Amino acid sequence: MKGNVYTYSDLVTAWKCPRAWSWYAQGYRQPLMPEAYLRGIFTHKAVAAHWMGQRPMDAIEVAYADYLEGVKSMRAENADALKDAGRAKAVAEDLAARYISKFGESVAPAAVEELMSVPRSADAFETLRIGGTPDLVAIKPNSQRVLVNFKTTGNMYLKALDVTGQYDFYAYVWGETGRKPINAILFDVVSPEYITRVERPPRLERGRYLFEAARELSGMSLTWSQALPHFGHHCGSCEYMAPCSLYEDGGDPQERLMAEYAIDEASIGRYAAHPDPAEQIAAKATVKATSKPTFSARPLAAMKDTL
């Protein structure tokens, strides 16, 4: 969730485990990240900078420095974490350079990592919204409007293309804003072994299903203590495994969360902090809701009439 916007990430996290989603919604994040995850973050920052006309390698340096600063501020620094970050940075620099060389001029960027959203309901007093942040909205040389999804997970992601629905969800939300429809989705997969692009048409029926599911999720009224976990194989890789286990053993996880987890500033005031829907709406009453997505002035002037 980003501010008052319920996203695809909220939806899949809640489906996987309601308790994990409640902590995710409050903004708790592990300060230490696996090397592969960091590599993806750093590479994304570089590619986004390229599409915005900025220096890609400078973006990696800033992201790297910010991560190290965050680790140190949480007193979670250790030698392995620093080595992981250093290796991730080196690989990300290589991946970004290769990607930009291959696809960096293939489309005209219109909106880079911009949040788009629509109101949850037609109620004039509605403050909650449904939406998300595509990596890139762009125009192909043939004037088609496309969403670009950038992934650094290689073969695993290619195999998931037929079942994932994140960008179908984005394409549907885009259409709900009243703009001209998305013509295609470009899945740009980047790995040390290869860089490839797969083009698919948007599956708007799937996108609508996910949109309605996110709308239903935003009406949930569960705090973490009320949310029963969905125990399964995913527990072993869940970033909330430690506080969840503590709770199951009769302890209080909140103290551990506050001591060992970083807070995503954009996530403060999440739904889980306001279990009563009426209270949540009151708490977010100052949020100005708009019916159109808020894109920056960065899109090329020539693109404005085509979006």
Side-chain angles (χ1 to χ4, degrees):
M1 185 175 171
K2 298 184 178 182
N4 65 327
V5 180
Y6 283 77
T7 68
Y8 179 84
S9 294
D10 283 289
L11 180 62
V12 295
T13 303
W15 276 348
K16 184 185 297 182
C17 179
R19 182 180 290 171
W21 173 69
S22 66
W23 281 326
Y24 173 83
Q26 290 183 56
Y28 288 109
R29 301 290 186 271
Q30 278 279 17
L32 298 181
M33 300 179 188
E35 181 181 336
Y37 191 75
L38 282 173
R39 183 177 66 216
I41 290 176
F42 296 158
T43 308
H44 266 84
K45 294 292 185 183
V47 172
H50 164 75
W51 292 122
M52 290 187 286
Q54 302 170 1
R55 294 168 60 91
M57 299 308 153
D58 287 353
I60 291 180
E61 290 292 343
V62 171
Y64 176 70
D66 286 347
Y67 174 70
L68 295 186
E69 185 64 29
V71 169
K72 292 176 182 177
S73 69
M74 293 297 295
R75 298 188 297 278
E77 182 178 354
N78 60 58
D80 288 339
L82 297 179
K83 289 178 181 178
D84 286 349
R87 286 192 296 265
K89 176 175 176 289
V91 175
E93 290 170 343
D94 176 65
L95 291 179
R98 290 167 53 205
Y99 172 82
I100 292 169
S101 175
K102 185 168 184 176
F103 290 129
E105 303 298 328
S106 61
V107 295
V112 185
E113 294 187 346
E114 296 283 357
L115 177 65
M116 59 180 183
S117 66
V118 294
R120 175 179 177 268
S121 73
D123 191 319
F125 297 99
E126 180 65 83
T127 61
L128 302 180
R129 302 176 70 82
I130 309 295
T133 307
D135 292 336
L136 177 67
V137 183
I139 307 297
K140 292 176 64 178
N142 63 3
S143 298
Q144 283 191 333
R145 289 169 297 280
V146 297
L147 297 178
V148 183
N149 183 206
F150 184 76
K151 288 293 183 182
T152 57
T153 47
N155 281 325
M156 180 177 68
Y157 191 71
L158 280 176
K159 294 176 181 177
L161 284 181
D162 287 329
V163 295
T164 185
Q166 181 178 15
Y167 273 68
D168 300 315
F169 171 81
Y170 289 159
Y172 182 82
V173 172
W174 174 272
E176 288 294 290
T177 67
R179 294 179 178 250
K180 295 178 181 179
I182 295 296
N183 302 115
I185 300 172
L186 306 182
F187 297 96
D188 289 354
V189 184
V190 181
S191 72
E193 293 77 26
Y194 62 86
I195 297 176
T196 189
R197 169 173 286 172
V198 177
E199 182 172 337
R200 299 282 176 87
R203 296 168 293 191
L204 296 180
E205 188 60 26
R206 177 173 296 193
R208 185 187 67 81
Y209 169 80
L210 294 168
F211 179 85
E212 294 298 335
R215 175 180 286 168
E216 182 179 351
L217 171 68
S218 63
M220 288 177 60
S221 179
L222 284 177
T223 63
W224 66 264
S225 59
Q226 296 170 321
L228 294 176
H230 289 172
F231 295 116
H233 65 86
H234 53 270
C235 291
S237 58
C238 179
E239 65 177 309
Y240 306 108
M241 180 175 63
C244 185
S245 298
L246 182 64
Y247 178 69
E248 292 299 316
D249 290 337
D252 181 4
Q254 206 70 20
E255 183 176 345
R256 183 161 189 169
L257 283 164
M258 294 178 67
E260 300 181 9
Y261 286 65
I263 284 288
D264 175 9
E265 294 295 332
S267 304
I268 294 177
R270 290 295 178 88
Y271 191 81
H274 302 278
D276 180 74
E279 290 180 9
Q280 170 157 346
I281 291 176
K284 298 182 182 299
T286 58
V287 178
K288 182 179 180 181
T290 58
S291 60
K292 295 284 185 179
T294 54
F295 292 113
S296 72
R298 286 195 298 268
L300 302 178
M303 299 297 107
K304 289 183 177 178
D305 293 334
T306 66
L307 293 176

